[in-house]
Amino acid sequence: MLKRITFFVVVLVLVKPIYDYGSQWLDEAKQFLNANEVVIQDATSEVISTVNSAKDTLIHTTTAATQTPPDAELPAKVQTVEELADSFYYYLSRWENNFEIHYVGSTADIEQIIQSAVDEASNRNHYILGHLAERKIEYEYSRFDAKIRVHQTYLTNAAQEEIVNKKVAELLSTVPVESMSDFEKVKFVNDFIVKNTAYSTESTASPHSAYAVLHEHKGVCQGYALLALKILEGLGMETQYVIGEVYTGGHAWNLVKVDGDWYHLDTTWNDPTPDRKNIVRYEYFLIDDEQMKRDHTWKTSDYPEATNLKYDFMAQIDHAYEQDGLIYYSNVNDNDILYRVDVNTGETTRLTDSRAQFIVGYGDWLYFSNYSKGAYLSKIRKDGTDESILFREEVNNLFVEDGYLYFSTNDGLKKMEL
């Protein structure tokens, strides 16, 4: 009994996201267990075990359980682990903080029954799983009856999730989902999150939530990965939320299935820090297990294998501009020289000897900051011909809007009609 209770308490402790404390959670769990004694008394005693923790609390008593009014959409009683999991999932998916479930059946292994139901319910939806925080479970039981009371906290809430759902729906309404390839969908999500988010813990909402990343444009790896999961699933992509470790501690990213093969996607590590506004990296974009293992670790048995190398070429891309299946970019593997790649074939072409950053396009032309010539504003045709300098001062942060090219200089923002 002591071992089963201890195991249950450990599992509850681990519900707290690892991103709050990194690898510190294991030491805290050990210290907690060493400092708290689980007391086993006679079954007729009211309180069998009381465990208190800053993270989770488990209280269970052996009194005659009484039936509580059932939820209108749930049965008054549940009789199996599956039905118990259904009830847990019902409340978790509605971001309920306090709820009660009446279980009728043998309680000989009640701790394991509850834990199995919680695990099954949590794993039904990785988006919910990633937002679970502290949990306290109390239960009263007799031989064939248990009243289970749950206090669950989240990294989000129902009101915030309404906003997330609305904003994601609005975002997806702006793209031609039906005509997009799997690759285009993943790139759209990666680029959207990176361009609109600054890695930061200084958010009003939890920086670990998708809400903070989408609504406040701030967050950490957990929020990045959960928002990516949400949008990718909205695009009809099969996606998983991955929990692992990097050199700084706990980390989260995604696995996504593209044209039948699994790949890793780490939107957090594709976002340059400090934030570079519209600049997107692709070093961790649709890569395989072996590449990911260079600096990421995870429990591989919990996730599908990613072995395809089709999109390896994306890792060399920086300052990208994409049009008609072609990406024009600064090649990080060749001194930031301006290149072009066909995303369908992976064929690359060097367009010039100039080092290019802040690349944008309009019509037949590319515009960029030419770091081979003082970071001056330059233009070149998309076939690599007719390169010339337009403005002989250092420029950056180029963008095109309403037929004008905008760029920043030491004297502020300037514009040029195209």
Side-chain angles (χ1 to χ4, degrees), residues 5 9 32 36-38 49-53 56-59:
I5 293 176
V9 172
F32 163 76
N36 290 270
E37 180 181 0
V38 178
S49 171
T50 302
V51 179
N52 295 299
S53 165
D56 302 275
T57 303
L58 166 65
I59 302 172

Side-chain angles (χ1 to χ4, degrees), residues 148-204:
I148 304 165
R149 301 185 187 91
V150 181
H151 175 68
Q152 175 71 59
T153 60
Y154 308 88
L155 303 173
T156 184
N157 58 49
Q160 290 177 352
E161 288 310 303
E162 283 188 18
I163 294 173
V164 170
N165 291 335
K166 180 179 178 181
K167 284 180 174 285
V168 169
E170 291 173 350
L171 174 66
L172 297 183
S173 71
T174 66
V175 296
V177 177
E178 297 301 325
S179 62
M180 295 172 73
S181 67
D182 285 356
F183 172 88
E184 289 171 333
K185 291 176 181 178
V186 180
K187 186 174 182 298
F188 169 76
V189 173
N190 180 78
D191 292 1
F192 172 80
I193 292 176
V194 171
K195 289 180 180 180
N196 290 282
T197 312
Y199 186 93
S200 173
T201 59
E202 303 299 320
S203 58
T204 302

Side-chain angles (χ1 to χ4, degrees), residues 330-375:
S330 176
N331 191 328
V332 298
N333 294 335
D334 189 13
N335 201 31
D336 298 323
I337 300 298
L338 179 62
Y339 272 69
R340 179 184 67 208
V341 63
D342 186 321
V343 298
N344 295 311
T345 65
E347 180 182 357
T348 61
T349 303
R350 182 170 173 159
L351 296 181
T352 177
D353 292 333
S354 297
R355 298 170 58 223
Q357 293 189 13
F358 305 104
I359 303 163
V360 296
Y362 187 83
D364 295 330
W365 294 92
L366 300 173
Y367 301 86
F368 60 97
S369 179
N370 191 332
Y371 275 74
S372 294
K373 297 180 179 179

Side-chain angles (χ1 to χ4, degrees), residues 195-244:
K195 289 180 180 180
N196 290 282
T197 312
Y199 186 93
S200 173
T201 59
E202 303 299 320
S203 58
T204 302
S206 169
H208 306 283
S209 68
Y211 173 82
V213 174
L214 184 60
H215 187 68
E216 298 186 50
H217 310 293
K218 299 177 182 178
V220 296
C221 61
Q222 190 171 359
Y224 278 68
L226 289 169
L227 181 58
L229 178 76
K230 183 79 169 183
I231 303 175
L232 285 166
E233 289 184 340
L235 288 167
M237 301 293 292
E238 191 173 348
T239 313
Q240 292 199 17
Y241 171 71
V242 183
I243 296 173

